[in-house]
Structure formats: C-alpha cells, structure tokens
Amino acid sequence: MDWSERLGGLCYGGDYNPEQWPEDVWKEDVELMRRAGVNLVSVGVFSWARLEPAPGVHDLGWLDRVLDLLHDGGIRVNLATPTASPPPWFGLAHPDALTVTHDGTRLTHGSRDTYCVHSPAYLAACAGIARTLAERYRDHPALAMWHVHNEYGTTCHCDHAADAFRTWLRARHGTLEALNDAWTTSFWSQHYSAWEQITTPRATQYLPNPSQALDFRRFVSDAMLDHFREQKAVLRELTPDIPITTNFVLGDWVPVNHRHWAAEVDLVAIDHYPSTDPPAETAFAADLARGWATGKPWLLMEQAVVTYTGPRMRAKHPGEITRLSLSHIARGSRGAMFFQWRASRGGAELWHGGMVPHAGPDSRIFREICDLGALLPTLEDACAAPVEAGAAILWDAEANWALQAPGLPSTELNYTEAVRQAHRVLYRHGVTADVVHPSADLSAYPLVLVPSLYLISDADADNLRRYVSGGGTLVVSYLSGIADEHARVRLGGYPGALRDLLGIRVEEFHPLPPDVALTLSAPDVLAPRSTSPRAEIPARPPTDEATFSDETTFPGDRPETGTFWSEHVHLEGAEALAVYTGPHTLATPLSGQPAITRHPYGSGTALYISTRLTDDAYARLLGLSPTPVELVRRGDWLFAINHGDEEHEPGDLLLPPGGFAVRPHVERE
Ligand code: GLA
C-alpha cells in the first residue's frame, strides 16, 4: 500500500510544540499556519512530562484542545509518541532505564534521549504511553499519521544491553565457535569460552575488536527497531488505517541501518540539516532517502530555517529555504517540514529557529514560509512521475561502520566523504543518482559508482559481477572489496572480493600525507567530454593498446593528481587508463604503476581508481560536463534550481540568481 496517498497532497508544516506556550498563543498559531498554507504538524514529540506529570497520572485535556483547534483550522496532525524524552520522575523511579555510556557512566535526566531500549521498565512505559495516546485519539479527525519517538540513536552499555547483545549474538552466530572465528578472537587472547563472558564493547585498555564493534552497531540498530516495532504494533492495532513513521537522523554516529528500517515504516521520513554546502548536501540526503524508500515517496520531516556551520549559525539566504525545499521535493519528498513551527524562547534549542522566528510573523523568514506554502500546491502534477536517475551510487551503512574502526591504515579514511564526492561529481554535472545498497537491482543503470566500499559480502560482490557482465559500467574506487561481512580482510591481494571483476591485484596500500600529491598521466583514451548532462562512458577504449609517457595527461589541459591514498596495482586482465608518474622518491615508489584501470567483463566494463581524484578529474574520467544549475527530471516535468549568484540559461530557461523553474520538460540541445 502507498501510505503516502493517505496524506493527500504535499505536506507542509513542522514540529509544533504547543506545550512550550501559553494557551492564548495557540489560536494565533493556527491562524498563522493557515496564512502560511501549513497542512500538517508534528505534535507532542517531547511532551511526555506534560502528558503524564506523575506515574500513571495522565493529563490529556490540553492535547485534546490543541488537536481540536488544529482540526478546526483544517490542519492535520502527525501525532508523536513522546518516548525520546522520558520525564525526570521516570529516570528517578527506574535508574536502570537511564543510558550507560561505554565507559560505564550512568547518565542522569536533564536533557533528552536518556533512555535504554533494553530496559524492561522503559519498554513497558513506552508501550503504555503509546496505547494511552492511540486510545484517546484513534477517532480524532485530525489524526493523519503517527510519529514514533524521535531520531532513534541512543546507544547503551548497561547490563540489560549486554544481555540483549548476547541473545542477538547467539541468533546471529549460532555457536561460540562461529563467533570466535568471526571475531578472530585468537588474536590478543580474546577467545570466549562461555556466552556470559561477552559484553558490549565497553571501554577497554587499547584497540577494541573491530568485528565485535561492527556486530554491536548491527545489534543496536536491530534493538532500536524492535522498540519501534513494539510501538507500531500498539498503534496499528488501535488505528489500522493511519500511517506510522519515525524520523531518520543522518550522520556517521547514527547506529541505525536505515535500509532495514525503511521496510518497517509506512513512509520513510528524514531530518536534514546541511552545513557547509547545503545544495549538494541536500541532493545527497534526498537521494539517500529515495534509495531507502526504494523509489517510493518519502518525506522531509525536519529542516531548519537557519544553517549551523561549525562554530556559528547563519541565517538562510533569501530564497534558500524555498530552493532547498524544492530540491527535496524534486527528488521525491512528499513535502517540506521544519523543526519547528515557532522558535522557542528558552530551553536547549532556543537558537534553532522556527517558521515563526523570534521576530514574529513580520519577518523575512515568515514571509518566505508563506510564499513556499503557496507554491507547494502548484507542484502536484510535477511530482506525479518517479524521479529519473542516470546513475547509481552504492552506499552501505555496515561498510561505513566497518571503516570507522580504529587501527585502519589511515585515521583519515572517511567513507561518507568518499560517497559524497561521487555524488557531488554527478550532481554538479546534472546526473541525478539513486543512492542504493550493493544488493539492489542495478540492471537499469548505465553507470554505477562504488566509492570506497571497504566491506562487501560475497552475495553483493556477485551482484556487481552480474551487473557488469550484463553490460553495465562500474566505477570502483580505492579501498573497496577489502573486508568480508565480519570485517576480516580477504586474502590474496586487494580488492579481495572484486579482483576478478576489476582484472587487477593490489599488493600494497600507500596512504599519502596531506602535503603529498602524486601526478597521474594518461593516454588519450578516456571518454570524450560530453555535452549531455547524462553520463556517457565509453564501453571500451578507442585503441586496444594504451601507451603512456610522462607527458601524456588526462584529456584536460594539465596533469591530474592523486591525493590522500595510493595503491600498488598489478594488471591481471585490465589495462591502465592512467599511471602514477611522480614524484620519483623513495617515499612515493609507485611511478609507472597503474593508477586507473579498465577491465572488460562480460558485456560491460569495470573501472578502478586507486587514489582520490579531484572532483574535476573524476568528472573528466566519466566524460561529464558541468551543469551550473540543479536539474531533476520527473516524467514530463523538469525541476531547475539555480543555487548560485549568477544568471544561467539551461536550455530555453532563464534562471536569475537564486531562481527556479518547475515546468513541463524542455528538450536539451
Ligand atoms: C533534530 C531533532 C529536533 C531538534 C532539531 C534541532 O532534528 O529531531 O528535535 O533537536 O534536530 O535542529
């Protein structure tokens, strides 16, 4: 069932926290929401202490009045279960339900997210408050969706967690022998002779066991999913026709495998707070969400009217809220929602902005919020067809977790950044990419990029072989295919699982210090630059024999460089598209060795990049030319968004600085 249809048109609104305000503000809220075109608000996300001021004592009268007011104003409610922030009395009554950090510190109430999903008391309380809300509001006409919890992500190392971890491990490994083998416990005398000896990866003297750490991340994701499922079961039992979701938070710290969760929510919903490069980050987050939703609609549940960039906040530029919202919608979001409706006057997040800022409705922000609210209903037709993608980029949470282990050949390895680079290159060249798991059906994509996929299962490696032998073009970059699903190195030469597909064998890694750049040279066999914003990768080189010299460059007008990483690559069936040419020093011994390779495999081609290229070089390798505006196609419709300061003319469109157009498709020349 497509649950998003229950929500009707594009959703517009945000987190509404009326418990922060005196009741006389609520009426003005609804009037302003109507003025802004708001049609959906997430209510009660952190309201547990107000709903249940003392154990078993419920006060829902205020929420009745809020829901009635909203309904009278024609605004639907995405009603939250408030379980991400139990009240102080709860932690005091059940100290074993408070989070224990990996160094054994038991946290205290006073913030939010201080809970343990393995604590029986917490689980019972969550199911209880979810039932109370569902029983009360099951027939309320404003109820449009359930918002379970908030941004799942709390990891706990208490004894409940350790017990649950052991149970999970028994199910995963079956026997202690299998676990000992998977975790390579023969190293450093870590062998376990009884299940009871195993704990969560708590603070220890030196490097922890990477396979244990990886299994713990998997376990945390599964355990939190069980917590979600318990609430979902209560809500589904009482309100079978109401969609149920939770808001996914993005970030490398997040111990959630969203791909597994996506199958459990009725509508994938993400929160997104870009920082340094909002347009590219937005496109990436939206393409990730669409991947989790397997192409179905999803929802931008939270964004902010301000941007946090490292040390300081910056006000969003004029029109930026609209452009970024539009980018999410173009890429499949069923709307644009915010944190939060009205900026708080106190509390921990009083500077996180709001659709109604501290300045009130007479403000640039609120005027833009109203304009966006008027724009959204005009976009329905443009959103009818699926998003068209010209390429796929592979992303796997487990590979990311494995690459976060300490003790790797470089502390600077960053899987997300490698994936983001691949995405940014396609994005800046007008290629919309689906971000999908290595097990996805890839057959429809002309091009698949595989950035630094450190961990890959045998089955997923087979999937890549099938894709290439069926005619696909696969571009794999450094440090891929190295580890098996237990984070153990595949022996015999890197990139273990992909050696035959790539026709190479990597003997050694040479991570580079920040001040070293290797030069690369290439014969003129790479893709001609394409005028099309879609990828056009040559299936094979124009010459069978490539010849190299130090003078030869990429088809750009300067030698390319490789930074950060390099590898000693041997050709075993592949040809070199570019070689390392210098500097010739003892510390950089790869001169003359292949840097980029190409291997025909079945009816397709597999390329390998053994270093980090610049974005420009990456694009040249793929034969792409830049597109100065964001372009997304959906069936007969084109979304064009100019995030820059200069006027641009894609096709027959004229986009002023910051301008956008959503219109029936225009043929590109
Ligand atoms: C997240 C949370 C919100 C709020 C915002 C702050 O998205 O879900 O509750 O904390 O961040 O920007």
Side-chain angles (χ1 to χ4, degrees):
M1 166 177 344
D2 182 355
W3 287 94
S4 71
E5 282 171 11
R6 306 264 164 138
L7 296 173
L10 293 175
C11 303
Y12 190 52
D15 277 34
Y16 179 40
N17 301 308
E19 68 275 15
Q20 294 179 14
W21 300 97
E23 209 157 327
D24 56 356
V25 176
W26 302 352
K27 208 156 165 261
E28 188 199 16
D29 281 331
V30 174
E31 279 163 24
L32 292 177
M33 286 175 193
R34 288 172 63 85
R35 204 197 299 172
V38 164
N39 56 28
L40 182 72
V41 287
S42 307
V43 176
V45 179
F46 296 107
S47 63
W48 197 344
R50 181 83 183 257
L51 293 168
E52 192 175 356
V57 178
H58 292 108
D59 172 11
L60 276 66
W62 66 274
L63 189 53
D64 295 348
R65 296 194 290 285
V66 168
L67 263 57
D68 290 349
L69 254 180
L70 288 165
H71 178 65
D72 292 347
I75 294 155
R76 294 163 306 158
V77 172
N78 175 32
L79 189 56
T81 64
T83 51
S85 199
W89 62 254
F90 179 79
L92 290 167
H94 304 283
D96 69 316
L98 294 169
T99 317
V100 173
T101 58
H102 92 300
D103 63 357
T105 306
R106 191 175 289 284
L107 301 181
T108 309
H109 63 266
S111 180
R112 68 175 191 192
D113 300 314
T114 313
Y115 55 80
C116 166
V117 294
H118 318 286
S119 147
Y122 176 68
L123 290 171
C126 291
I129 191 75
R131 182 168 292 279
T132 300
L133 289 170
E135 281 172 347
R136 181 79 150 218
Y137 298 112
R138 59 194 293 178
D139 296 320
H140 198 289
L143 180 64
M145 183 156 64
W146 287 108
H147 177 301
V148 172
H149 202 79
N150 190 68
E151 294 192 338
Y152 275 94
T154 296
T155 297
C156 184
H157 290 266
C158 72
D159 289 344
H160 294 309
D163 276 345
F165 187 37
R166 286 187 283 268
T167 304
W168 184 92
L169 289 170
R170 278 176 194 261
R172 176 171 173 79
H173 295 284
T175 64
L176 263 185
E177 288 67 36
L179 177 140
N180 278 304
D181 180 51
W183 289 10
T184 321
T185 56
S186 49
F187 193 70
W188 281 352
S189 186
Q190 291 180 354
H191 186 269
Y192 295 102
S193 53
W195 289 100
E196 295 66 36
Q197 296 161 5
I198 304 171
T199 68
T200 65
R202 294 173 177 161
T204 189
Q205 177 60 22
Y206 183 41
L207 299 177
N209 182 309
S211 308
Q212 179 189 14
L214 177 60
D215 267 352
F216 183 63
R217 287 267 196 147
R218 291 172 169 139
F219 153 73
V220 171
S221 179
D222 288 355
M224 289 190 297
L225 185 54
D226 283 345
H227 176 262
F228 171 81
R229 283 198 195 105
E230 281 194 16
Q231 294 196 35
K232 179 180 168 187
V234 172
L235 303 173
R236 177 85 351 124
E237 173 200 327
L238 294 168
T239 57
D241 298 327
I242 302 292
I244 303 169
T245 192
T246 184
N247 48 343
F248 293 174
V249 57
L250 312 185
D252 280 347
W253 63 273
V254 179
V256 168
N257 190 330
H258 295 112
R259 186 174 73 94
H260 296 164
W261 284 57
E264 297 285 339
V265 296
D266 295 331
L267 179 72
V268 167
I270 66 161
D271 297 348
H272 189 237
Y273 296 93
S275 56
T276 50
D277 184 355
E281 288 172 48
T282 295
F284 178 59
D287 291 346
L288 255 180
R290 192 176 63 257
W292 292 326
T294 57
K296 293 201 291 284
W298 55 276
L299 181 61
L300 172 66
M301 187 66 90
E302 289 182 31
Q303 61 177 328
V305 300
V306 293
T307 302
Y308 275 88
T309 52
R312 69 192 64 84
M313 171 202 117
R314 99 167 151 72
K316 282 208 160 123
H317 304 143
E320 191 178 359
I321 295 170
T322 305
R323 288 189 294 278
L324 297 180
S325 299
L326 207 54
S327 177
H328 278 292
I329 290 168
R331 292 167 189 276
S333 176
R334 283 304 295 159
M337 307 277 289
F338 292 80
F339 178 85
Q340 56 180 329
W341 164 248
R342 192 183 273 276
S344 302
R345 67 181 313 181
E349 294 192 328
L350 70 172
W351 295 110
H352 272 262
M355 299 165 83
V356 181
H358 289 149
D362 183 11
S363 57
R364 174 179 74 90
I365 293 293
F366 189 67
R367 280 188 285 279
E368 186 170 335
I369 290 292
C370 292
D371 290 347
L372 179 56
L375 174 71
L376 259 48
T378 69
L379 301 178
E380 286 295 336
D381 287 350
C383 294
V387 176
E388 289 179 20
I393 299 173
L394 303 191
W395 161 267
D396 180 20
E398 296 192 356
N400 191 22
W401 296 340
L403 211 48
Q404 289 174 5
L408 293 169
S410 165
T411 57
E412 295 158 332
L413 288 164
N414 186 331
Y415 176 61
T416 306
E417 180 42 41
V419 176
R420 291 261 322 270
Q421 185 196 25
H423 188 272
R424 189 169 60 231
V425 166
L426 296 181
Y427 168 76
R428 295 220 186 289
H429 295 78
V431 182
T432 302
D434 285 345
V435 182
V436 299
H437 188 261
S439 61
D441 178 1
L442 303 171
S443 54
Y445 299 105
L447 171 68
V448 174
L449 304 186
V450 188
S452 301
L453 188 66
Y454 175 71
L455 177 149
I456 187 169
S457 68
D458 292 344
D460 292 349
D462 282 344
N463 190 40
L464 301 193
R465 281 188 200 91
R466 263 195 308 279
Y467 165 69
V468 181
S469 60
T473 298
L474 191 76
V475 181
V476 179
S477 58
Y478 62 90
L479 204 67
S480 293
I482 306 301
D484 68 12
E485 65 189 57
H486 303 302
R488 297 176 303 200
V489 170
R490 295 169 179 277
L491 301 179
Y494 319 121
L498 305 174
R499 271 200 312 266
D500 61 320
L501 171 57
L502 293 166
I504 56 165
R505 187 172 68 88
V506 173
E507 183 182 334
E508 272 181 358
F509 294 148
H510 293 267
L512 301 172
D515 55 344
V516 173
L518 304 184
T519 50
L520 311 184
S521 69
D524 194 17
V525 297
L526 297 184
R529 287 198 224 185
S530 165
T531 49
S532 154
R534 280 168 194 279
E536 285 177 7
I537 310 297
R540 53 193 309 275
T543 55
D544 288 332
E545 287 293 316
T547 51
F548 302 100
S549 81
D550 281 7
E551 286 72 51
T552 319
T553 63
F554 267 80
D557 44 15
R558 59 192 162 80
E560 304 293 356
T561 55
T563 56
F564 177 68
W565 191 264
S566 58
E567 299 177 350
H568 185 173
V569 178
H570 296 277
L571 301 177
E572 293 193 345
E575 60 174 333
L577 287 183
V579 294
Y580 293 107
T581 54
H584 304 272
T585 70
L586 286 177
T588 52
L590 296 179
S591 285
Q593 304 296 333
I596 303 175
T597 63
R598 173 164 48 200
H599 186 224
Y601 186 92
S603 315
T605 307
L607 282 81
Y608 187 64
I609 308 170
S610 67
T611 184
R612 179 154 75 196
L613 299 176
T614 62
D615 287 10
D616 285 351
Y618 206 151
R620 277 194 286 276
L621 179 69
L622 302 180
L624 305 173
S625 39
T627 311
V629 300
E630 177 174 355
L631 297 173
V632 181
R633 285 163 189 261
R634 297 185 66 162
D636 292 338
W637 287 79
L638 176 72
F639 289 72
I641 310 170
N642 183 0
H643 295 279
D645 275 327
E646 285 168 28
E647 182 176 276
H648 289 291
E649 235 179 310
D652 66 350
L653 286 172
L654 183 66
L655 292 181
F660 61 84
V662 182
R663 45 173 282 181
H665 183 279
V666 181
E667 268 310 320
R668 295 191 192 93
E669 37 351 314

